[in-house]
Amino acid sequence: MARIAVVHGPNLNLLGVREPGIYGTATLAEIDRVLESEAAALGVEVECFQSNSEGRILDYLAEVRERADGIVINPAGLGHTSVALLDGLLAVNRPFVEVHLSNPYRREGFRRRSFLTPAAAGLVAGFGVDSYISGFRCLCGVLARQAGADS
Ligand code: DQA
């Protein structure tokens, strides 16, 4: 069974209370629960991880590369700033989908650059929790096609 790792970057632990007009009212635990039921419906395994520390996220990626077939990541602010996060994802060498709750292209100019997007299988942004669900489903499709091509 394919295993997908979902990584949430800095400040996403505050979802529900953090700028709800931009990020919505769902908490991180609720998002993780939705992804767990989506995974069960699609017949894949999921594990979710959040940290406010870039180093801990890099350590998690280095560790999860042994068991994950693909990654859904909301890099939060790190997407706009971190070459190290890009390098960590490239080192995992698995397809990843970048997701954002908000649409960064409708916001401040500095949010329009993501170091990750050029290396991502795809990007889903602007649909709140549905960005995660769509990104998750799309990654499952990528992995299924990959498995079909390998067999
Ligand atoms: C975000 C968008 C980023 O610009 C911001 O720094 C976040 C959340 C989103 O999900 O919309 O922390 O990734």
Side-chain angles (χ1 to χ4, degrees), residues 32-63:
D32 287 349
R33 269 204 302 278
V34 166
L35 293 175
E36 279 158 16
S37 63
E38 195 63 27
L42 293 169
V44 299
E45 290 181 357
V46 64
E47 63 176 76
C48 302
F49 176 84
Q50 190 277 331
S51 180
N52 292 326
S53 153
E54 181 173 7
R56 287 199 58 217
I57 293 172
L58 297 181
D59 289 344
Y60 175 75
L61 289 174
E63 178 213 316

Side-chain angles (χ1 to χ4, degrees), residues 48-129:
C48 302
F49 176 84
Q50 190 277 331
S51 180
N52 292 326
S53 153
E54 181 173 7
R56 287 199 58 217
I57 293 172
L58 297 181
D59 289 344
Y60 175 75
L61 289 174
E63 178 213 316
V64 86
R65 70 189 290 281
E66 306 286 337
R67 59 180 183 274
D69 299 295
I71 294 172
V72 172
I73 184 164
N74 183 345
L78 290 176
H80 311 306
T81 61
S82 178
V83 175
L85 181 57
L86 169 65
D87 287 343
L89 284 160
L90 292 174
V92 173
N93 198 23
R94 300 275 189 275
F96 73 88
V97 174
E98 178 179 349
V99 301
H100 297 277
L101 295 152
S102 66
N103 177 354
Y105 295 94
R106 292 181 66 180
R107 302 179 62 194
E108 304 95 322
F110 61 82
R111 295 186 199 275
R112 291 191 192 126
R113 177 183 72 173
S114 164
F115 284 104
L116 308 190
T117 312
L123 167 73
V124 188
F127 300 105
V129 180

Side-chain angles (χ1 to χ4, degrees), residues 121-135:
L123 167 73
V124 188
F127 300 105
V129 180
D130 285 345
S131 293
Y132 277 94
I133 297 171
S134 299

